[in-house]
């Protein structure tokens, strides 16, 4: 059976770069854009060109160097934004304009002081105008997560008629539960005329920690593009993490869904973005955190040493991590101590291990972690058992 392709739309350089303190200069954006192209993303959202001359410049430079991915620029639903985005995308091999407007009653009433009818009219006008510059126009219905489904369907139908090629259904505030978000996508699939001719896109925020789960629910109900960022960075609590969605689909092959991502580059790409943005991910971050493949309790270490899959569902090599790590702490058992000692050159007999282990525990109790230098120290320098153990 042929597998369905899920398009990966990376917005690290737009939604991700909105994070306070994560601002990048053009040179840094180019480094990241080239890496994203190499990683195999389908779309790079390079920025919001009307927002500043610096962003305009960065988008146009990125448009010149990206070889494979679509380069996309964000706009609001007005002519000036769209003209400036089109200008910034002039040199892109595959340009896309991403335009849209808030569709929830909250946005319509409080942000625009407008009406549903006027918002539909603006959406149609924006998409039609963007189409005069590029073929590929993505429409976002901002705050779709809190938009009434029947009205959202009306907006979607209208912009499809105007030529939108992709429909972005953002859960802008990260409010939806996975079943609600999935049902919303299904409602659109079932009720919007012409939807079979466009790609539905998920853009989920992480305010309740559900961004990745919601994106997956969207895919399971018919969406075929996911908007995401490296390390899940983005406005407030962030966006769906690219590395999570990609590995979820890879580790669940029965879903029959593929991305074109070279997963072996995920870890290095994460580090590259951390370095340039100055935003370090937490150690327990899925896929790319320092502890994602680290085992520290004795029971787990013993299991992993016997067979990695006992406690690991991902082969670290698949995401570019050399190997699982066995961390020595006071919770470690003999198996872990023997394993790590062997890695630094000491092949211990059972008797030697039994003699060393109590000393190791005393030492480990005084430290957070026992490293390779500590192991040498324990076994050679100050070891009261040295003469009898005879290393
Ligand atoms: O979260 C959101 O709604 C957005 C749109 C501008 C696509 O980032
Ligand atoms: Zn967003």
């Amino acid at each position: 059976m042929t597998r369905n392709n899920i398009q990966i739309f990376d917005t690290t350089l737009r939604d991700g770069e909105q994070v306070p303190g994560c601002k990048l200069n053009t040179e840094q954006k180019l480094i990241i854009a080239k890496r994203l192209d190499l990683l195999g993303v389908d779309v790079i959202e390079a920025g919001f060109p009307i927002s500043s001359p610096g962003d305009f410049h960065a988008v146009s430079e990125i448009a010149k160097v990206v070889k494979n991915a679509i380069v996309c620029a964000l706009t609001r639903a007005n002519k000036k934004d769209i003209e400036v985005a089109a200008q910034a995308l002039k040199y892109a091999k595959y340009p896309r304009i991403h335009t849209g407007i808030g569709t929830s009653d909250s946005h319509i009433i409080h942000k625009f002081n407008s009406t549903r009818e006027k918002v539909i009219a603006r959406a149609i006008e924006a998409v039609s105008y963007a189409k005069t510059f590029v073929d590929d126009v993505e429409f976002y219905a901002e705050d779709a997560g809190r938009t009434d489904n029947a009205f959202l369907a009306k907006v979607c139908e209208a912009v499809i008629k105007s030529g939108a090629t992709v429909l972005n259904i953002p859960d802008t505030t990260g409010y939806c539960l996975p079943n609600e978000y999935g049902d919303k996508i299904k409602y659109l699939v079932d009720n919007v005329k012409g939807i079979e001719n466009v790609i539905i896109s998920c853009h989920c925020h992480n305010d309740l920690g559900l961004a990745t789960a919601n994106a997956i629910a969207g895919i399971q109900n018919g969406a075929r593009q996911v908007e995401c960022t490296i390390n899940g960075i983005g406005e407030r609590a962030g966006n769906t993490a690219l590395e999570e969605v990609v590995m979820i689909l890879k580790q669940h092959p029965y879903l029959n869904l593929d991305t074109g991502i070279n997963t072996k580059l995920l870890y290095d790409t994460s580090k590259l973005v951390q370095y340039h943005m100055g935003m370090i991910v937490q150690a327990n971050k899925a896929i790319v955190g320092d502890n994602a493949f680290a085992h520290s309790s004795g029971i787990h270490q013993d299991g992993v040493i016997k067979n990695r899959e006992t406690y690991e569902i991902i082969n670290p090599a698949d995401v570019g991590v050399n190997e699982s790590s066995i961390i020595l702490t006071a919770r470690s058992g003999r198996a872990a101590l023997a394993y790590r000692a062997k890695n630094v050159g000491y092949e211990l007999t059972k008797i030697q291990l039994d003699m060393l282990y109590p000393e190791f525990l005393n030492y480990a109790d005084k430290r957070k972690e026992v490293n390779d230098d500590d192991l040498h120290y324990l076994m050679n320098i100050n070891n009261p058992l040295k003469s009898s153990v005879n290393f």
Side-chain angles (χ1 to χ4, degrees):
M1 196 199 299
T2 50
R3 292 166 70 82
N4 282 303
N5 187 42
I6 300 298
Q7 306 261 305
I8 296 295
F9 174 116
D10 181 278
T11 182
T12 304
L13 296 174
R14 200 279 297 168
D15 215 317
E17 211 238 359
Q18 287 172 207
V19 174
C22 284
K23 179 114 194 54
L24 302 172
N25 59 37
T26 300
E27 200 187 324
Q28 292 173 311
K29 287 185 188 175
L30 283 167
I31 292 171
I32 292 177
K34 285 182 195 160
R35 167 51 70 104
L36 293 171
D37 206 21
L38 194 68
L39 183 66
V41 307
D42 299 281
V43 186
I44 296 173
E45 188 164 47
F48 181 18
I50 191 90
S51 66
S52 73
D55 217 40
F56 178 92
H57 181 244
V59 174
S60 48
E61 292 305 302
I62 290 169
K64 287 177 196 162
V65 301
V66 168
K67 294 195 171 69
N68 306 304
I70 293 168
V71 178
C72 174
L74 185 77
T75 83
R76 292 163 296 187
N78 69 59
K79 287 193 166 175
K80 185 76 194 150
D81 278 30
I82 293 168
E83 284 158 16
V84 172
Q87 182 70 18
L89 291 172
K90 200 163 76 183
Y91 298 107
K93 204 164 164 195
Y94 310 108
R96 176 183 291 178
I97 291 178
H98 188 192
T99 190
I101 190 164
T103 53
S104 66
D105 286 339
S106 162
H107 279 229
I108 293 172
I109 295 164
H110 303 298
K111 200 164 115 179
F112 304 125
N113 188 22
S114 188
T115 62
R116 287 183 170 187
E117 291 65 36
K118 284 184 185 156
V119 160
I120 293 199
R122 275 188 67 185
I124 292 172
E125 202 184 355
V127 171
S128 308
Y129 193 54
K131 284 294 273 192
T132 66
F133 296 99
V134 293
D135 286 337
D136 191 2
V137 175
E138 174 167 341
F139 175 80
Y140 64 87
E142 195 180 8
D143 204 15
R146 294 187 299 171
T147 300
D148 164 58
N149 283 349
F151 177 62
L152 186 60
K154 253 179 142 175
V155 177
C156 290
E157 207 162 296
V159 296
I160 291 173
K161 274 197 198 131
S162 311
T165 44
V166 181
L167 284 184
N168 179 9
I169 310 300
D171 183 20
T172 304
T173 58
Y175 177 72
C176 290
L177 293 172
N179 67 310
E180 285 169 346
Y181 189 75
D183 288 351
K184 190 172 282 287
I185 301 297
K186 173 133 179 44
Y187 182 89
L188 297 176
V189 169
D190 292 342
N191 291 282
V192 173
K193 249 189 246 135
I195 200 139
E196 63 284 0
N197 302 319
V198 301
I199 292 175
I200 304 175
S201 185
C202 309
H203 179 113
C204 300
H205 277 271
N206 204 33
D207 300 67
L208 292 170
L210 291 171
T212 298
N214 283 348
I216 296 295
I219 290 173
Q220 289 183 298
N221 283 280
R224 285 296 172 266
Q225 176 177 280
V226 179
E227 308 200 358
C228 45
T229 58
I230 302 293
N231 302 332
I233 58 170
E235 191 77 21
R236 305 182 311 282
N239 291 68
T240 302
L242 181 150
E243 61 278 6
E244 293 173 12
V245 102
V246 166
M247 290 313 291
I248 288 168
L249 299 184
K250 185 173 165 69
Q251 297 309 117
H252 292 270
Y254 59 86
L255 291 175
N256 241 9
L257 299 165
D258 254 344
T259 70
I261 296 296
N262 177 355
T263 63
K264 290 193 164 42
L265 295 179
L266 284 174
Y267 183 72
D268 276 357
T269 306
S270 162
K271 287 285 185 209
L272 185 80
V273 169
Q274 290 181 54
Y275 172 76
H276 285 290
M277 293 212 160
M279 187 149 165
I280 307 303
V281 300
Q282 76 271 23
N284 63 330
K285 168 78 186 65
I287 320 291
V288 293
D290 281 352
N291 290 350
F293 301 100
H295 305 272
S296 74
S297 94
I299 296 170
H300 287 216
Q301 291 176 330
D302 183 49
V304 169
I305 290 166
K306 286 175 177 146
N307 180 354
R308 188 189 58 74
E309 288 179 12
T310 317
Y311 286 103
E312 268 181 7
I313 58 155
I314 299 171
N315 184 342
D318 284 351
V319 299
V321 173
N322 284 345
E323 56 179 355
S324 328
S325 43
I326 299 293
I327 309 293
L328 287 182
T329 70
R331 304 281 86 77
S332 300
R334 285 173 172 73
L337 177 58
Y339 173 85
R340 284 283 305 273
K342 189 172 172 194
N343 280 357
V344 291
Y346 306 96
E347 187 105 37
L348 302 176
T349 63
K350 182 170 180 321
I351 295 169
Q352 287 170 333
L353 188 59
D354 284 345
M355 290 174 80
L356 185 67
Y357 188 64
E359 192 185 350
F360 159 77
L361 283 184
N362 282 334
Y363 189 85
D365 260 338
K366 297 186 194 99
R367 281 168 174 71
K368 285 193 172 154
E369 198 181 316
V370 175
N371 60 30
D372 288 349
D373 286 345
D374 296 325
L375 283 176
H376 288 299
Y377 170 80
L378 266 172
M379 292 193 270
N380 281 310
I381 313 292
N382 192 28
N383 181 3
L385 307 176
K386 191 173 174 201
S387 53
S388 52
V389 174
N390 193 22
F391 290 112

